[in-house]
């Protein structure tokens, strides 16, 4: 009798194990931060039972022990989880807008009108980020650069963007215009993107140019000329050297005439002749401006337009200075004579008052 009961219990337990099960299609999903994942899951139970409740849990470490906490009790996950299964045989769960710390073990449990059953096995979810790397991140123009998109999920293909525009090759020789911010995305999942990483391309000064400014003082005659050297360079040019070419000697030689971004040349010194140019230098190299001719011979100190303007200025002043006293004298004389007339008139009418 005892044996029969024992046998029945064992048989019944065996039947339970056979009839009740939870199966996860992919027990080790890997997903990207910000994306969604679906745990495909199915469950079965003995015929004739009704499912009352389904519940998903996350394994949480509490005081050194792992406990299963209902997702509905985890406020940070609750809103992002969606039960896409039913109360028949589908127990799939979707998680949205994944965060790195969603990584972990997930369990399913269902209760029928007769008993409850929780999954012994779990889904282990890994949430990972895309990490873009530009290697090396600072290069000189012409050097090789490699773009790497790293992640702990298996990544079939990554696409690259630089400042919003697609990059065709992840390996290239950097030019000045390749400097910028790069990020990678998962092909077919473009919303999953890495943080941008910067590429800095160093190059020697280019487009070195000289700006010429005649500095005019109170006498109206330019007394000095300021030459300003500018260039496009990375890092910015720090050292400037000014040269003047000696044209008088048959073999033209260069004379170093100054340093610094601005060179002030007194007008009187222009009579020494020769075109000027500047050399801009940064840590990568140097480059020269084209020559600037401030003066061709002793007769033209300035551009003729400047000269004309100055001469016109002098002319107008001379006219004003000469004519003004005459006008004043004339006006004064006229004014005093009319005063006399008025006085006479006043006398005429005063008798009536
Ligand atoms: C979750 O959603 C509820 C209602 O929709 C809202 O009150 C609550 O602030 C949300 N919690 C989080 C963590 O987003
Ligand atoms: C999980 O990460 C999110 C965003 O990084 C953070 O707001 C939240 O506090 C973290 N939750 C836990 C339990 O550490
Ligand atoms: C100097 O600059 C010009 C353009 O301004 C550029 O074409 C040339 O390559 C530069 N030379 C060097 C040595 O960098
Ligand atoms: C011209 O250069 C001198 C010396 O570098 C400077 O003191 C002056 O401010 C400059 N003048 C102008 C108008 O740039
Ligand atoms: C700029 O000039 C200073 C002083 O002459 C020198 O120490 C420095 O090395 C120069 N920098 C470059 C990039 O040539
Ligand atoms: C710039 O001019 C200097 C002096 O003439 C010369 O030595 C140097 O080679 C020139 N640099 C370039 C890049 O042309």
């Amino acid at each position: 009798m005892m044996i029969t009961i024992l046998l029945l219990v064992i048989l019944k337990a065996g039947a339970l194990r056979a009839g009740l099960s939870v199966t996860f299609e992919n027990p080790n999903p890997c997903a990207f931060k910000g994306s969604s994942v679906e745990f495909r899951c199915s469950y079965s139970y003995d015929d004739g039972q009704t499912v009352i409740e389904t519940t998903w849990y996350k394994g949480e470490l509490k005081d050194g022990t792992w406990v299963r906490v209902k997702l509905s009790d985890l406020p940070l996950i609750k809103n992002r989880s969606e039960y896409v299964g039913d109360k028949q045989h589908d127990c799939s769960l979707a998680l949205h807008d994944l965060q790195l710390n969603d990584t972990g073990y997930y369990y399913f449990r269902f209760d029928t009108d007769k008993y409850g059953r929780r999954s012994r096995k779990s889904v282990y979810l890994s949430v990972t980020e895309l990490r873009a790397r530009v290697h090396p991140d600072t290069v000189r123009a012409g050097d090789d650069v490699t773009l790497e998109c790293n992640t702990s999920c298996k990544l079939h293909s990554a696409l690259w963007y630089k400042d919003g525009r697609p990059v065709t090759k992840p390996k290239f020789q950097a030019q000045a215009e390749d400097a910028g911010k790069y990020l990678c995305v998962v092909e077919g999942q473009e919303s999953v993107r890495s943080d941008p990483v910067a590429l800095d391309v160093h190059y020697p000064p280019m487009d070195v140019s000289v700006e010429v400014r005649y500095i005019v003082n109170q006498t109206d005659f330019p007394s000095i000329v300021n030459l300003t050297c500018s260039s496009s360079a990375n890092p910015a040019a720090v050292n400037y050297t000014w040269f003047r070419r000696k044209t008088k000697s048959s073999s033209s030689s260069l004379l170093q005439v100054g340093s610094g971004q601005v060179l002030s040349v007194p007008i009187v010194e222009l009579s020494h002749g020769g075109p000027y140019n500047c050399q801009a230098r940064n840590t990568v190299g140097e480059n020269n401006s084209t020559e600037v001719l401030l003066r061709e011979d002793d007769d033209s100190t300035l551009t003729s337009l400047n000269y004309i303007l100055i001469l016109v200025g002098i002319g107008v002043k001379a006219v004003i200075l000469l004519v003004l006293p005459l006008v004043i004298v004339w006006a004064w004389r006229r004014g005093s004579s009319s005063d006399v007339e008025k006085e006479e008139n006043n006398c005429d009418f005063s008798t009536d008052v």
Side-chain angles (χ1 to χ4, degrees):
M1 186 61 184
M2 274 291 278
I3 290 170
T4 322
I5 289 171
L6 212 71
L7 216 78
L8 270 176
V9 167
I10 289 168
L11 278 177
K12 180 113 183 165
L16 275 182
R17 271 198 292 277
L20 291 165
S21 72
V22 176
T23 312
F24 302 120
E25 195 177 289
N26 176 8
N28 293 298
C30 191
F32 294 104
K33 184 181 175 216
S35 72
S36 297
V37 71
E38 187 176 325
F39 305 152
R40 305 276 299 221
C41 164
S42 59
Y43 62 113
S44 59
Y45 43 87
D46 291 327
D47 289 343
Q49 296 183 31
T50 311
V51 176
I52 309 288
E53 204 176 353
T54 60
T55 318
W56 275 90
Y57 297 81
K58 185 172 192 275
E60 294 266 294
L61 200 54
K62 287 231 165 92
D63 304 324
T65 47
W66 286 95
V67 293
R68 297 181 185 196
V69 183
K70 286 182 185 171
L71 295 192
S72 56
D73 291 339
L74 291 169
L76 291 172
I77 293 185
K78 184 181 158 189
N79 286 13
R80 295 181 290 111
S81 68
E82 180 192 355
Y83 185 65
V84 292
D86 52 32
K87 288 193 172 171
Q88 310 298 319
H89 295 287
D90 186 352
C91 47
S92 300
L93 176 79
L95 289 180
H96 303 292
D97 187 22
L98 291 170
Q99 303 300 310
L100 290 180
N101 54 18
D102 292 337
T103 294
Y105 294 95
Y106 291 82
Y107 304 86
F108 177 68
R109 175 199 167 99
F110 65 93
D111 291 277
T112 68
D113 50 351
K114 294 224 172 71
Y115 35 68
R117 173 81 180 185
R118 64 183 202 177
S119 61
R120 201 153 31 85
K121 290 186 179 154
S122 61
V123 173
Y124 184 78
L125 170 69
S126 312
V127 181
T128 176
E129 280 180 301
L130 283 186
R131 272 181 306 279
R133 185 160 169 256
V134 175
H135 182 73
D137 59 8
T138 303
V139 292
R140 288 188 174 194
D143 287 356
D144 287 330
V145 169
T146 308
L147 305 176
E148 283 172 16
C149 194
N150 294 320
T151 169
S152 51
C153 282
K154 196 174 160 199
L155 184 61
H156 296 294
S157 187
L159 299 177
W160 284 91
Y161 288 90
K162 175 191 165 260
D163 299 325
R165 278 189 291 278
V167 176
T168 47
K169 286 186 196 155
K171 236 179 190 167
F172 54 87
Q173 283 189 325
Q175 299 305 327
E177 61 271 19
D178 293 322
K181 294 213 166 117
Y182 291 80
L183 59 78
C184 58
V185 305
V186 179
E187 188 168 8
Q189 231 180 316
E190 265 78 346
S191 64
V192 177
R193 46 187 54 209
S194 69
D195 285 339
V197 285
L199 172 65
D200 195 9
V201 181
H202 286 180
Y203 55 93
M206 310 272 268
D207 304 323
V208 184
S209 65
V210 175
E211 188 204 356
V212 180
R213 270 181 87 173
Y214 291 90
I215 310 298
V216 178
N217 64 11
Q218 291 95 332
T219 66
D220 272 353
F221 283 101
S223 57
I224 56 168
V225 181
N226 274 13
L227 304 179
T228 307
C229 190
S230 53
S231 65
S232 137
N234 186 23
V238 282
N239 289 2
Y240 299 90
T241 313
W242 291 91
F243 296 97
R244 199 183 70 217
R245 189 151 53 85
K246 271 183 166 171
T247 44
K248 293 213 166 116
S249 49
S250 55
S251 60
S252 74
S253 62
L254 277 177
L255 207 67
Q256 191 182 322
V257 291
S259 60
Q261 194 166 9
V262 180
L263 180 73
S264 286
V265 185
I267 289 287
V268 289
E269 277 183 26
L270 292 181
S271 58
H272 299 317
Y276 287 77
N277 79 318
C278 87
Q279 183 185 76
R281 179 184 292 274
N282 69 0
T283 48
V284 183
E286 43 95 0
N287 208 343
N288 299 326
S289 70
T290 54
E291 292 183 333
V292 180
L293 203 56
L294 293 178
R295 172 194 169 82
E296 284 174 279
D297 53 59
D298 286 3
D299 296 328
S300 62
T301 309
L302 305 166
T303 66
S304 29
L305 181 64
N306 262 347
Y307 237 42
I308 289 164
L309 285 177
I310 286 161
L311 288 176
V312 167
I314 291 169
V316 168
K317 274 190 187 162
V319 167
I320 288 171
L321 283 175
L322 284 172
V323 170
L324 201 65
L326 291 176
V327 171
I328 289 169
V329 166
W330 174 78
W332 179 78
R333 282 183 60 118
R334 213 185 120 84
S336 49
S337 68
S338 62
D339 277 352
V340 169
E341 275 167 32
K342 264 191 206 142
E343 214 125 287
E344 281 166 358
N345 287 345
N346 280 349
C347 282
D348 282 349
F349 292 110
S350 63
T351 49
D352 288 349
V353 176

